[in-house]
Amino acid sequence: MSRLRMDDESKVAGAAAATGTAKALVKGMGLVDLIAADGPRRLTDLVEASGVPRGTVIRLLEVLLDAGVLRTDAAGLYDLGPRLAVWGQRFLDRLDIRGLAQDLMAGLSAETRETCFLGIVQDDQVLYVAKIDSPQAVRPAAVVGTVNPLHSTGIGKVLLAHADERTLRRCLERPLVRKTPNTITDPDALAAELAATRDRGYAIDEIENEDGVRCVAVPVRDHTGQVAAALSVSAPAYRFPREGLPAVAEMALAAAATLSERLGHQPPPPADPPGSHEHEEVS
C-alpha cells in the first residue's frame, strides 16, 4: 500500500473517531440535562428517559463522574457534581450586568419589600442571573442559575416581546407547556399578550409559572438599544394584588432605566407636545 493511501485512511479514521466522540459528548450532555431538569435520577430512569442503550449510559456516567460533572450517592442516585458549580459561578461572575444591577435591585426590593430578579435569554429559556430576596418569609422559589420557560414568566414575556422574529416564531410554533392553570398555552393568545406587553411597557405573570405567585417585569436595554435582560418584582399573589401592579411597574421601570443607562443605553429625547412651536417667533 502506498504512503499516500495510508495517510488517506488515517484521515478517514480520525474523522470517524471525532464524529464518535462528538456523538458521545452530545449524549453525555443529554444525561446531564435530564438530571438538571428533574433532579437526582437512577440509572434505569436515565436509560428510559434518554433512549440511549444501557451500556452506553453506564460508560458515559463513569466519564462524567470521573470529571466531577456528576456525583452519585449510596442509594445509586446520580446528581449534578461540584464541577458544574465552579463552571456556573464563573459564568455568572463574568456577566457584568449583575454587578451593575445589584444596588438597583436591592433598592427596588427594599422599596417594594418583595423579591427582585434579573434574567436573560439562554437556549430559549429564562436564565436567572441575579436575585434579591424579599425580607418576608414567604417568597418565590426560583434561585440564581435556574431556568424557566419564556412564555409563562414575566421576564420571559418581556424578552419574547422584544425578541427577533425568528426567536418569536420558534417559541410560538413549539408546544407551550402548562405550568399552572393560568399559563397561556394558545399561540395566538400569547402573541396578543406580547403585543400588550410592548404597548404598556411591562409584562405581567398572572400566576402563570408558579402557583400563588404574581410578577411584573420590565425591559433592560444595552448600548445598542436592544433588550438585553429583564428586571422583575415577584411576590405571593395575596400580597401583590392586580391593582398594585402599575405602581410597582413604575418603580421597576425607573430601576431598569438606570441600569440601561449603565449599560450605555441613551434613550431618545422626549418629543415636543403637539402645538408647542405654534407661537414661536421666526428670527
Side-chain angles (χ1 to χ4, degrees):
M1 183 179 292
S2 69
R3 174 74 180 180
L4 178 61
R5 177 66 175 167
M6 291 175 66
D7 286 346
D8 287 345
E9 288 191 352
S10 296
K11 290 177 181 178
V12 171
T19 301
T21 301
K23 287 181 179 179
L25 178 60
V26 170
K27 291 176 181 177
M29 291 300 296
L31 296 176
V32 176
D33 282 341
L34 285 171
I35 295 169
D38 300 323
R41 305 287 291 269
R42 297 186 182 279
L43 172 62
T44 52
D45 297 329
L46 291 169
V47 171
E48 181 179 354
S50 67
V52 176
R54 181 184 177 89
T56 302
V57 171
I58 291 174
R59 289 194 294 274
L60 292 172
L61 290 174
E62 289 174 350
V63 172
L64 293 168
L65 288 170
D66 288 341
V69 174
L70 294 180
R71 58 188 171 90
T72 187
D73 63 13
L77 291 172
Y78 292 87
D79 202 356
L80 301 179
R83 196 164 193 171
L84 290 180
V86 175
W87 288 347
Q89 192 58 53
R90 286 178 180 170
F91 171 74
L92 293 172
D93 287 343
R94 290 167 187 168
L95 284 174
D96 188 47
I97 190 173
R98 295 175 67 225
L100 296 174
Q102 202 70 20
D103 64 319
L104 296 170
M105 294 175 65
L108 184 58
S109 180
E111 192 174 11
T112 61
R113 290 184 53 79
E114 300 298 352
T115 299
C116 187
F117 289 99
L118 182 69
I120 62 172
V121 173
Q122 179 169 297
D123 299 329
D124 290 345
Q125 298 181 96
V126 174
L127 170 66
Y128 299 108
V129 298
K131 176 187 182 184
I132 300 293
D133 275 318
S134 165
Q136 304 182 78
V138 180
R139 53 200 183 203
V143 298
V144 172
T146 60
V147 295
N148 260 319
L150 290 169
H151 70 280
S152 60
T153 57
I155 286 179
K157 287 181 186 178
V158 167
L159 297 171
L160 265 183
H162 298 279
D164 60 84
E165 187 62 31
R166 182 178 179 183
T167 300
L168 180 58
R169 184 169 61 250
R170 186 167 62 241
C171 181
L172 292 177
E173 287 176 350
R174 66 170 55 132
L176 300 174
V177 178
R178 184 177 297 281
K179 298 293 294 293
T180 76
N182 286 4
T183 305
I184 299 173
T185 58
D186 176 71
D188 292 336
L190 179 59
E193 176 66 13
L194 297 178
T197 294
R198 287 189 293 271
D199 289 342
R200 67 176 166 246
Y202 61 90
I204 298 171
D205 164 6
E206 182 55 30
I207 320 177
E208 297 167 50
N209 189 71
E210 184 179 344
D211 284 328
V213 174
R214 185 172 280 127
C215 167
V216 62
V218 298
V220 175
R221 298 182 182 273
D222 62 16
H223 66 285
T224 69
Q226 298 298 308
V227 173
L231 194 64
S232 74
V233 177
S234 298
Y238 70 85
R239 283 203 313 256
F240 199 4
R242 280 193 62 88
E243 55 268 25
L245 292 176
V248 174
E250 286 300 317
M251 300 179 206
L253 285 166
T258 301
L259 179 55
S260 297
E261 289 177 5
R262 292 179 180 181
L263 293 173
H265 176 59
Q266 295 184 344
D272 291 328
S276 61
H277 299 290
E278 286 182 2
H279 302 292
E280 289 183 357
E281 294 183 1
V282 179
S283 58

